[in-house]
Amino acid sequence: MEVVIAPGPELGRLAASAIEQLVREQPDTVLGLATGSSPLAVYDELARRHAEHDLSFARVRAFMLDEYVGLAADHPERYRNVIEKEIASRVDFAPGAVQGPDGLAEDLVAACAAYEEAIASVGGVDLQLLGIGTDGHIAFNEPGSSLASRTRIKTLTRQTREDNARFFGGDIDQVPQHCLTQGLATIMSARHLVLLATGRGKAEAVHQLVEGPVSAMWPATILQHHPHVTVLVDDAAASRLQ
Ligand code: F6R
């Protein structure tokens, strides 16, 4: 596990550079996209490089980490819509190249299985962007998640719903109770994991991720078993590292 401590704006550029290098070497790269605040600087930087330096995503396919269950198709916080707004609409992905778990499917269990098959059918994810929750979740694998889990339905913890209420006008009651999320084993199948974390609120989770014992109670600690992980953190998020 490589840990890089740098100022916030630099972190976005570092992650964007890893993606740019991969996409230029291998134009049909498969990317894993995260939502939330952490990857926004990366998406801004990729959009800039697309506009100013001809970085093309025309042959790239991308898979999202997770999706809320039951948010209306046009809800601005539906993760498909967030990804469309923050990155897909700003670069040149081919139609249908960005996929996510279908939180509106009638059969959610079948939708999870289909999503795993879709990822496997393109040979897996080359580079997966990740954030981390204050409770150590990655994607929506909350504490207690099986370290061997695959894409499935999960119940969001009150902590995560409180953390995400800021996207729903500060009203926790508007935050869905359930989600579909790639499992920890799904994430571990990606070839390179790039995790971003900023701010003091992430310091304990980053400490556990890097220095804690591997435990389902801090799901991100499973990344210690991955051969190629880059952790990009600012000073505040790194403040509890030994
Ligand atoms: C989002 C996701 C979550 C977030 C995490 C951190 O797709 O999978 O694990 O990465 O909740 O969120 P932010 O970046 O908003 O602090």
Side-chain angles (χ1 to χ4, degrees):
M1 181 180 286
E2 178 191 24
V3 181
V4 178
I5 304 172
E10 181 62 16
L11 301 177
R13 287 194 286 274
L14 288 169
S17 293
I19 292 172
E20 175 169 8
Q21 188 181 350
L22 190 61
V23 170
R24 289 204 190 274
E25 283 170 6
Q26 185 186 323
D28 61 350
T29 287
V30 181
L31 293 179
L33 303 177
T35 42
S37 306
S38 303
L40 293 180
V42 187
Y43 298 151
D44 287 345
E45 186 62 17
L46 290 175
R48 189 185 70 75
R49 294 183 193 195
H50 169 68
E52 296 175 14
H53 300 289
D54 293 329
L55 177 62
S56 175
F57 295 79
R59 292 178 55 202
V60 173
R61 273 122 346 138
F63 290 88
M64 294 162 48
L65 279 175
D66 41 19
E67 181 60 275
Y68 291 116
V69 167
L71 279 190
D74 61 352
H75 195 292
E77 290 308 321
R78 189 177 180 228
Y79 279 174
R80 280 194 189 199
N81 298 336
V82 172
I83 285 292
E84 182 64 24
K85 173 168 167 261
E86 300 297 351
I87 183 67
S89 63
R90 301 167 75 192
V91 298
D92 60 343
F93 283 115
V98 180
Q99 298 185 54
D102 184 0
L104 287 172
E106 271 184 32
D107 185 342
L108 292 170
V109 174
C112 292
Y115 196 60
E116 285 281 331
E117 276 169 30
I119 295 172
S121 74
V122 297
V125 170
D126 292 303
L127 186 153
Q128 175 67 59
L129 282 178
L130 295 168
I132 185 169
T134 55
D135 60 3
H137 69 239
I138 49 174
F140 277 139
N141 294 282
E142 299 283 24
S145 293
S146 164
L147 300 179
S149 50
R150 290 275 166 188
T151 304
R152 68 211 184 290
I153 308 163
K154 286 292 283 181
T155 303
L156 295 169
T157 60
R158 184 158 184 94
Q159 175 72 62
T160 296
R161 293 178 66 236
E162 275 172 14
D163 288 347
N164 287 6
R166 69 190 192 279
F167 297 118
F168 292 82
D171 181 0
I172 189 173
D173 292 332
Q174 300 301 313
V175 184
Q177 310 257 9
H178 298 100
C179 65
L180 303 185
T181 181
Q182 287 191 27
L184 293 169
T186 319
I187 293 167
M188 288 289 284
S189 302
R191 287 178 271 284
H192 183 193
L193 304 175
V194 178
L195 184 145
L196 296 117
T198 55
R200 193 160 291 270
K202 301 292 175 71
E204 175 66 15
V206 168
H207 161 62
Q208 294 290 339
L209 159 68
V210 179
E211 298 168 338
V214 175
S215 161
M217 296 317 291
W218 288 93
T221 57
I222 188 66
L223 303 193
Q224 293 175 21
H225 285 299
H226 194 285
H228 192 189
V229 182
T230 307
V231 176
L232 302 172
V233 285
D234 67 0
D235 278 334
S239 61
R240 291 222 46 223
L241 293 178
Q242 304 290 309

